[in-house]
Amino acid sequence: MLLHHANVFRSQYIHAEFVCLRCLSRLSARTSRRQFGSSPPRNEAVAVKASLVQRDYFFANRIRSASNFQTCSKISQEKTGHEGAREVSQVLSYGAPLNPSPSLPSLPVSDSSPTDLQLPELPHRRRKRLKAEAALTPSQEPIIPPDVSSRLTSLSTTLPATSIRRLLTTCLSLSKPRLSFMIVLTTAAAYSLYPIPALLLPTTTTAPSLSTLTLMFLTIGTSLCCTSANALNMLLEPEHDAKMSRTRNRPIVRGLIGKKGALIFASITAVIGIGSLWFVVNPTVAFLGGLNIVLYAGVYTPMKRLSVLNTWVGALVGGIPPLMGWAAAAGQSATGNGEWSELLFSEGSIGGWLLAGILYAWQFPHFNALSWSIREEYKNAGYRMLVWTNPRMNGRVALRYAFALFPLCAGLWWWQITDQGFLVTSSIVNIWIAREAWKFWRKEGQRGSARGLFWASVWHLPVVMVLAMVHKKGLWDEIWRWLVGSGEEEEEEEENMLMTIDSEQEVLDGIRD
């Protein structure tokens, strides 16, 4: 052990934790000089135990705690000599005096040092602490933000009860505008991707290749059918929607519209939507629109509480709108009677089925990632979803259908629906969603993998549809001809001139004869 002079130790003990042991020993030796042969008084020497120099002393040279610092300061003010030094030694060694004096008041113990005495945390210690905290704290996925229907419902509650604007806002909330927009987008994309037959090319006829009026009624009828299906979905399960944070703000749950009013709204939109498709587009498209309403409201909605196969039925519902757009375009160039077999099962209908397959496969990564953050709510509400009944299979299904997008997109190029550029650009987008689906499966939705897959799927569908329309087969050839002109027109003019000259020459020869 080291011997320090009591007076010196009493005057320097505050700094004992801030200097190294060698400097402290030198300071003690320098201030406690004595003649050779003389010994210090017994009552002026104090033993500093080895426990004073602890492991923390050599790392960052901090004081042990604020309570020890305050206790030592109070002892130095109240007591002097051997007794005070002994209590200071006990505080530094054990954290508190063993026999506290009655005259010394107890000081509150603080877990952290004062701000002015606390040194910055070392980087490697901070990283180690954060890593340990992350390992102990379970990761929680953020709750999905409110959708457009919830925001419209909140807006309706602020409007007067008898206003027309409130009624229109409530009806718009029943239609799920964002979902309806995505369905209309896929329908219109399929309509525009239909290859124009040679008979309808602008070079052979002055009429438009595909009717703009047909496209307008196709989008209107499809959106009304989708509105009817969504309204019936909300009508059939308000008591279960009230149990989930994602659906408890829907208009029927909030009481903004009754079940009777929602049924009337759904019936009107269904009749108008199917009627416009039947009389303006063709009966096959109208049948597909009505089938979508029946499948979504009559099969998918009650099946959610019975079996996990409801997800496959919902994906089937999402794959029908591209078939509607393709059949609408095919009906304008049908060579026969335009029956459903010709529009849906002929050789030229392969493009529509490929687009329907893309929509069908896309919905599994999208919904499986979306349902992950609210899996407990699905379980408490009684919905049989794969995300909580079999989480591992939930990730495998999302990964499987994410990889299925590659051959489906390649099929559009193989069957001459798009050019080779789509094969490259769509592969880039498919690699993105497949990578996120791989993370989702490996991490089982933890550490942000579910959120990453969800946003990848949100962007994937519109990007692929736009890329398919941009890379439509023959589109850029027509644009190039329009920009720089075509040599065929000049050749035709030269042929016409030569024919005219020949005919005139024949007439002159006949006159001479």
Side-chain angles (χ1 to χ4, degrees), residues 406-423:
F406 286 92
L408 290 170
C409 292
L412 293 177
W413 162 73
W414 180 262
W415 290 96
Q416 301 296 312
I417 307 300
T418 59
D419 55 23
Q420 295 180 354
F422 178 73
L423 184 63

Side-chain angles (χ1 to χ4, degrees), residues 64-228:
R64 297 180 61 183
S65 65
S67 60
N68 294 353
F69 178 80
Q70 296 175 356
T71 304
C72 294
S73 301
K74 191 65 177 179
I75 293 174
S76 63
Q77 296 174 5
E78 297 291 336
K79 299 185 178 183
T80 59
H82 175 69
E83 183 180 359
R86 181 173 59 81
E87 293 192 12
V88 169
S89 177
Q90 293 174 358
V91 170
L92 295 176
S93 300
Y94 303 104
L98 298 178
N99 298 318
S101 175
S103 61
L104 182 63
S106 60
L107 299 176
V109 178
S110 176
D111 294 335
S112 58
S113 303
T115 307
D116 56 343
L117 296 176
Q118 186 174 4
L119 298 178
E121 187 178 10
L122 296 178
H124 70 283
R125 290 179 175 269
R126 181 174 63 253
R127 290 193 297 267
K128 184 177 181 180
R129 176 178 57 82
L130 295 176
K131 186 177 180 180
E133 292 177 356
L136 294 176
T137 304
S139 59
Q140 296 181 353
E141 292 290 335
I143 300 299
I144 299 176
D147 55 6
V148 179
S149 296
S150 298
R151 291 198 291 267
L152 289 173
T153 302
S154 301
L155 177 62
S156 300
T157 56
T158 62
L159 300 175
T162 57
S163 64
I164 300 297
R165 185 182 177 187
R166 176 170 179 170
L167 178 61
L168 295 177
T169 305
T170 303
C171 293
L172 186 61
S173 177
L174 285 172
S175 66
K176 300 181 182 179
R178 183 176 296 175
L179 177 61
S180 300
F181 173 77
M182 294 294 292
I183 292 176
V184 171
L185 173 64
T186 57
T187 306
Y191 182 85
S192 64
L193 284 174
Y194 184 82
I196 302 173
L199 182 63
L200 296 180
L201 288 174
T203 57
T204 58
T205 178
T206 57
S209 57
L210 292 177
S211 173
T212 306
L213 183 64
T214 302
L215 177 62
M216 183 181 68
F217 275 91
L218 173 66
T219 56
I220 293 175
T222 304
S223 61
L224 289 176
C225 290
C226 183
T227 297
S228 176

Side-chain angles (χ1 to χ4, degrees), residues 368-420:
N368 290 11
L370 179 147
S371 60
W372 176 262
S373 60
I374 53 176
R375 57 192 181 279
E376 293 299 330
E377 296 187 6
Y378 274 124
K379 182 177 181 180
N380 296 332
Y383 292 124
R384 303 284 300 178
M385 297 298 173
L386 201 61
V387 68
W388 67 268
T389 58
N390 195 338
R392 289 291 297 174
M393 184 177 179
N394 184 70
R396 289 197 304 270
V397 169
L399 180 63
R400 184 185 307 139
Y401 283 98
F403 279 106
L405 292 169
F406 286 92
L408 290 170
C409 292
L412 293 177
W413 162 73
W414 180 262
W415 290 96
Q416 301 296 312
I417 307 300
T418 59
D419 55 23
Q420 295 180 354

